[in-house]
Amino acid sequence: MAAKQLRCRECATEYPLEARYVCSRCFGPLEVKYDHQTTADIGEVRRRIQGGPQNIWRYHDFLPLEGPQPQTRTGLPAGCTPLIRADRLAERLGLREVWVKNDAANPTHSFKDRVVSVAATRARELGFDTLACASTGNLANSVAAHGAALGMDSYVLIPADLEEQKQLATAIYGTNLVKVRGNYDDVNRLCTELSGDRENWAFVNINMRPYYAEGSKTVAFEIAEQLGWEMPDRCVVPIASGSLYTKIAKGFQEFVEVGLLDGDIPIMNGAQALGCSPVAAAFEQGKDACRPVKPDTIAKSLAIGNPADGPYALDLARATGGSIDSVTDQEIRDGIRLLAETTGIFTETAGGVTTAVLAKLAARGDIGKDERVALIITGEGLKTLDAVRDSFSAYEVDANIDSFEAAFAEQGVSV
Amino acid sequence: MSVTVKIPTQLRDLAGGATQVQAEGSTVGEALESVFAEHGELRDRLYQEDGDLRRFVNVYLSGEDIRFLDGLQTAVPAGASLTILPAVAGG
């Protein structure tokens, strides 16, 4: 494989490609490093990708797996989600060109299937028989489903107050669902402690985190391929831990480095909910690290008060000329509705955050007239129904034409 | 005052293999100093050169991140438990 080692992002200490996520010298995060062939015929590299399966394994050469390309009709293949040109959304916001990457169209309806596919496959290569995770909901769905698909036991730890839809869509797969009395950061602390003592468990976002995080690069790979091997000028991406946001940039960068793409990576805009906005606050204050917060927002899938990749997200926003913004719960609801009304895509609260931040950037005049913008929609509206409850009205009628017409006449509407 | 300090897996070889050690002190900082007095190599792993905690080290007092309290100056009651953990997990 092209992956060569794990390397600490802080002090550059190198480690073999094992189940290890933190540098034992400085506690910095470990990241997968590759040795890609830069002399290869680019046309051949593109054909090899395009001839691959309709899922993330078409990018197998850019993922940290040892074995041959995983069987593509087994397990729970993720990715190859639609990239839709959203002209009505663009027009509403006064923008030229907006593309929506709809990652709700994954097996468990969120981008988490990408990261879990890579982590679970690597976990099997390393000999693990059990998957586990700390989750704000979408990851819980995905780990439980991958455990079922791959025949691995799973333990899924979530905050006890998580949306009912996300609990149901986890438990149905037959996992060990553990509701922790506390917020996500409490769940994460517990899992970090557990992972030290459960050596045969692959915690996808703890001891498998370097591999897991690589799965997010496939969002960038797909966008570039779907745009005909070009990059958007700007990406708007939600931030919880900051892993997706930073890895999308890494994905574009890797394709530039091997010659698959030309130019600078996109301007990267991060999106947070005001009720949990440690990265947006640090960005605004000009700081290079985040002060943790206690989350209080309807966007529970983004409710990480102590974001692991916060410092790197801040670096990335500044290096690309982007920003990290936050929006209120009402703006999140409005964002969900705006996306639904203009694209036909019903997203969860995280997508509401991302759409609302796009609207904010447009209103602020941050987006140039000629820009091509990609909006990353990470999850499905049916998982957070409470966010939109009571936000619309319906006509209730008897089953006859008089009643039907009377109902509209009452509202002064002619049909 | 005696405090229990839980050592993360990654640092146990520098603490003689112990999963937890007893420390003395009335603040988090003092308690950690007393651990360093026994196990000197731990200081460099946890602290930056300016004497503050490294940015990817989390310390919890009875489950609460000390950054929500008074940091290294946080008072520790006798019998309390401090937990040191890497910060890069999750997401």
Side-chain angles (χ1 to χ4, degrees):
Chain A
M1 66 177 158
K4 287 299 168 212
Q5 68 264 320
L6 298 175
R7 186 185 298 162
C8 175
R9 282 197 71 160
E10 295 288 295
C11 73
T13 302
E14 294 184 351
Y15 301 89
L17 290 160
E18 54 195 25
R20 178 192 284 271
Y21 67 108
V22 60
C23 177
S24 52
R25 286 169 57 95
C26 73
F27 268 32
L30 303 184
E31 192 169 54
V32 179
K33 286 292 163 192
Y34 298 83
D35 181 16
H36 290 301
Q37 298 294 325
T38 49
T39 53
D41 171 357
I42 287 306
E44 173 56 27
V45 179
R46 284 183 181 165
R47 280 192 294 278
R48 187 173 153 84
I49 291 171
Q50 287 167 327
Q54 288 293 315
N55 56 52
I56 60 168
W57 303 132
R58 70 203 277 108
Y59 308 111
H60 177 254
D61 293 342
F62 297 86
L63 295 171
L65 303 175
E66 250 167 60
Q69 191 173 67
Q71 297 249 330
T72 60
R73 294 189 187 281
T74 61
L76 208 55
C80 284
T81 59
L83 181 72
I84 294 155
R85 183 166 168 144
D87 286 340
R88 297 189 63 242
L89 175 60
E91 188 183 352
R92 186 83 80 89
L93 298 176
L95 301 174
R96 191 193 73 151
E97 195 177 327
V98 176
W99 294 80
V100 176
K101 182 62 171 168
N102 183 15
D103 247 21
N106 268 306
T108 70
H109 316 287
S110 87
F111 87 100
K112 290 293 187 185
D113 291 322
R114 298 176 184 276
V115 288
V116 176
S117 286
V118 176
T121 304
R122 183 66 185 144
R124 294 235 291 198
E125 287 184 351
L126 292 171
F128 289 96
D129 58 12
T130 302
L131 297 177
C133 69
S135 175
T136 58
N138 283 320
L139 182 60
N141 296 174
S142 187
V143 166
H146 276 82
L150 298 172
M152 300 173 81
D153 280 344
S154 62
Y155 290 81
V156 169
L157 286 82
I158 56 169
D161 71 346
L162 198 63
E163 294 100 337
E164 187 189 19
Q165 292 93 352
K166 284 185 178 160
Q167 296 191 32
L168 295 173
T170 301
I172 193 66
Y173 298 114
T175 186
N176 297 288
L177 180 63
V178 182
K179 296 165 68 168
V180 178
R181 290 185 288 271
N183 63 26
Y184 174 79
D185 297 295
D186 296 317
V187 178
N188 197 24
R189 174 177 53 77
L190 173 59
C191 285
T192 306
E193 285 190 75
L194 282 172
S195 75
D197 299 323
R198 301 267 184 305
E199 289 184 351
N200 61 332
W201 288 17
F203 279 84
V204 297
N205 54 349
I206 302 179
N207 55 351
M208 299 302 296
R209 195 171 193 269
Y211 309 101
Y212 161 96
E214 289 292 290
S216 287
K217 294 187 311 191
T218 60
V219 175
F221 295 161
E222 285 178 21
I223 291 172
E225 192 185 346
Q226 287 167 316
L227 290 175
W229 303 105
E230 288 185 9
M231 283 179 279
D233 299 306
R234 180 186 297 271
C235 290
V236 187
V237 185
I239 292 181
S241 73
S243 177
L244 173 68
Y245 176 73
T246 51
K247 290 293 179 172
I248 286 178
K250 186 181 187 225
F252 286 123
Q253 188 62 45
E254 284 185 6
F255 267 17
V256 169
E257 282 166 13
V258 299
L260 280 166
L261 297 172
D262 289 322
D264 295 328
I265 66 165
I267 296 167
M268 296 295 294
N269 286 105
Q272 293 212 290
L274 182 61
C276 183
S277 52
V279 195
F283 181 83
E284 194 181 350
Q285 292 158 10
K287 297 194 171 144
D288 60 7
C290 303
R291 184 172 172 79
V293 301
K294 304 272 188 191
D296 178 17
T297 170
I298 58 169
K300 292 183 180 174
S301 57
L302 302 182
I304 297 182
N306 195 355
D309 289 303
Y312 303 124
L314 291 163
D315 290 347
L316 177 64
R318 290 176 182 134
T320 61
S323 66
I324 299 168
D325 286 272
S326 63
V327 288
T328 65
D329 282 358
Q330 188 54 48
E331 288 174 305
I332 295 168
R333 292 190 187 92
D334 294 344
I336 293 172
R337 183 141 197 161
L338 174 64
L339 187 72
E341 286 180 352
T342 57
T343 66
I345 295 168
F346 179 26
T347 185
E348 66 152 280
T349 44
V353 170
T354 316
T355 307
V357 164
L358 174 67
K360 191 170 187 170
L361 295 169
R364 205 161 66 197
D366 282 12
I367 301 176
K369 290 211 178 319
D370 297 328
E371 281 191 33
R372 171 187 276 179
V373 183
L375 179 68
I376 314 303
I377 294 301
T378 46
E380 165 65 52
L382 294 173
K383 292 192 195 182
T384 60
L385 289 172
D386 286 343
V388 296
R389 203 180 300 285
D390 302 325
S391 66
F392 59 90
S393 59
Y395 300 97
E396 186 165 336
V397 303
D398 296 327
N400 63 63
I401 289 175
D402 287 348
S403 177
F404 177 84
E405 290 187 339
F408 283 89
E410 259 175 44
Q411 303 291 321
V413 181
S414 67
V415 286
Chain B
M1 280 179 283
S2 186
V3 181
T4 304
V5 180
K6 290 190 184 172
I7 307 294
T9 327
Q10 296 81 3
L11 297 181
R12 285 177 192 163
D13 58 336
L14 299 182
T19 58
Q20 58 183 48
V21 297
Q22 289 305 119
E24 294 293 327
S26 59
T27 65
V28 174
E30 287 175 17
L32 291 178
E33 282 299 330
S34 85
V35 175
F36 301 152
E38 279 301 298
H39 308 287
E41 284 178 279
L42 285 176
R43 179 195 301 275
D44 181 49
R45 302 298 174 93
L46 298 179
Y47 280 17
Q48 301 171 168
E49 283 177 9
D50 67 5
D52 209 349
L53 280 175
R54 287 182 180 274
R55 65 179 181 171
F56 290 103
V57 174
N58 285 347
V59 177
Y60 300 89
L61 171 62
S62 304
E64 181 75 301
D65 190 327
I66 62 165
R67 281 173 293 183
F68 287 116
L69 306 169
D70 293 324
L72 293 172
Q73 276 72 54
T74 305
V76 285
S81 168
L82 288 176
T83 304
I84 302 167
L85 286 174
V88 295

